[in-house]
Amino acid sequence: MVRKKTTLMMLKESERETRKKLIIESSIFLFAKKSFDTVSMRDIAMVAGISPASIYRYFEDKDELFVEAFSYKAEEICGNLEKMFDENKNMTLADIAVNFVDYLFEHDSFFQMMTHFMTSGTIKDISLERFNETERYLLDLFDKYFKKMGVTQNLRLLSHAFFAALNGVMITFSRYPGRDKEEIRRHINRLAALLADVFSCVV
Amino acid sequence: MVRKKTTLMMLKESERETRKKLIIESSIFLFAKKSFDTVSMRDIAMVAGISPASIYRYFEDKDELFVEAFSYKAEEICGNLEKMFDENKNMTLADIAVNFVDYLFEHDSFFQMMTHFMTSGTIKDISLERFNETERYLLDLFDKYFKKMGVTQNLRLLSHAFFAALNGVMITFSRYPGRDKEEIRRHINRLAALLADVFSCVV
DNA sequence: TGTACATCAGTGAACGCGCGTTCACTGATGTAC
DNA sequence: TGTACATCAGTGAACGCGCGTTCACTGATGTAC
């Protein structure tokens, strides 16, 4: 009896999780193309195929949904990046850089959401803390690489600079008008490789 | 007679220009702190001390006002940067980098507006063209410097990378939470200097 | 097994608001004779 | 110089809309006896 009850409850719980994921994934789909302010709850509901009111059964408000969506995507992205870096033990810095920007370029929802955190100026401190966790995670990845290369001085500062530089390439050129996607990808990759070359001088 | 008429017309014209500047400067004041979507025409009117309807005597719509405001600020910023670079003939790359980010940091309306162009995704092509002009102008400044330093290969690519890297530093760290303005400035300057050091290797 | 009641996810419709923008008007200034 | 008319910058109030969010309800499912 108790067993059955638990099973049912677990079923319900997993159904609930599935619905929640559906909403999150719908919002990520939209946040990839448009900014936080230009994506509406009605848009998200429509993509998810539910009513706007339903979203509020799962999330407090739009802000919370955004943060949850970011965290969800961040976990996936960070995990994959770490795996990518770990699996190829003898990657050059250029490999790292190009893989990093290329992966972000391909999964542009994550990057778009990240820039919202960095530029909005109207985000609650608690949400920013969640974002910073992710940022620190990515910086740690770079730290790990530079350490392996024997860097001892200014390790974190170097990671900051490298991370920021790659971000800058993404932001400055990933929406360059009048070029098609493949041209942009090539340009971004070339710039990432160049940055890595330049950084290799001091490593 | 004709002379007097012309004078009066010129007076009127200059009054009109003054009002227009007032509106532009009010909008710049607001766009410095908040994003395009979160600044309203009523906000701008209030700062300018006029009625919202008046803005439409000077600008077609909010988009046009934004582009005009950006161009206005861009002219000032670019002019000053060029002068700064030209007046100090023997600046190191680190001087250039630090002055660049520090100046942008101090005039953050320009940078905030620039990132809107780079990240929004909902801007008309004609407006983007205006923005690109400014971007090219800044890239030309870096080109000039690298050329002077004897770079011949991949000149434009190097400028792209350097410009993007400095942008990245600004975007990634200029709104870092929990640090005061001076701490942020110091961090940004240090990163800019580090990037310059790194780039100096290949120059 | 059948019946009466409880729960709760889902939702259509509405609320209240602030937005970009327009309209119809005012009143100061300029022009003509 | 005085008067009648034209111009036009400026604006308060309104329009229509879409937003985030809430409410009151439905109807499917679970529970108790």
Side-chain angles (χ1 to χ4, degrees), chain A residues 5-25 48 50 54 57-59:
Chain A
K5 228 185 204 167
T6 314
T7 313
L8 278 172
M9 276 165 67
M10 278 169 64
L11 261 171
K12 269 217 159 164
E13 190 54 36
S14 91
E15 248 178 63
R16 198 182 150 76
E17 280 307 305
T18 307
R19 288 287 259 180
K20 204 171 169 176
K21 265 188 205 169
L22 172 69
I23 295 167
I24 284 180
E25 276 159 9
I50 59 177
S54 296
R57 294 261 175 217
Y58 295 88
F59 303 94

Side-chain angles (χ1 to χ4, degrees), chain B residues 21-36:
Chain B
K21 265 187 206 168
L22 172 70
I23 295 168
I24 284 180
E25 276 159 10
S26 304
S27 78
I28 288 173
F29 172 79
L30 289 164
F31 287 135
K33 308 291 165 207
K34 297 165 66 187
S35 71
F36 178 81

Side-chain angles (χ1 to χ4, degrees), chain A residues 43-72:
Chain A
D43 292 340
I44 296 166
M46 192 173 296
V47 171
I50 59 177
S51 92
S54 296
I55 300 178
Y56 292 87
R57 294 261 175 217
Y58 295 88
F59 303 94
E60 186 91 0
D61 54 25
K62 195 184 175 186
D63 282 300
E64 196 201 300
L65 170 55
F66 183 81
V67 174
E68 291 283 319
F70 175 77
S71 296
Y72 177 85

Side-chain angles (χ1 to χ4, degrees), chain A residues 33 35 112 115 119 171 175, chain B residues 114-122 171:
Chain A
K33 307 291 164 207
S35 71
Q112 174 79 13
T115 60
T119 59
I171 285 171
R175 287 177 178 279
Chain B
M114 194 164 95
T115 58
H116 179 249
F117 276 109
M118 297 194 296
T119 59
S120 148
T122 51
I171 285 171

Side-chain angles (χ1 to χ4, degrees), chain B residues 106-130:
Chain B
E106 209 46 49
H107 301 76
D108 67 345
S109 56
F110 175 73
F111 193 74
Q112 174 78 12
M113 291 164 93
M114 194 164 95
T115 58
H116 179 249
F117 276 109
M118 297 194 296
T119 59
S120 148
T122 51
I123 296 174
K124 281 176 290 179
D125 281 2
I126 315 153
S127 310
L128 273 176
E129 194 35 56
R130 287 279 284 279

Side-chain angles (χ1 to χ4, degrees), chain B residues 66-76 113 130-131 134:
Chain B
F66 183 81
V67 174
E68 291 283 319
F70 175 77
S71 296
Y72 177 85
K73 197 75 193 170
E75 207 165 311
E76 178 199 323
M113 291 164 93
R130 287 279 284 279
F131 165 67
T134 302

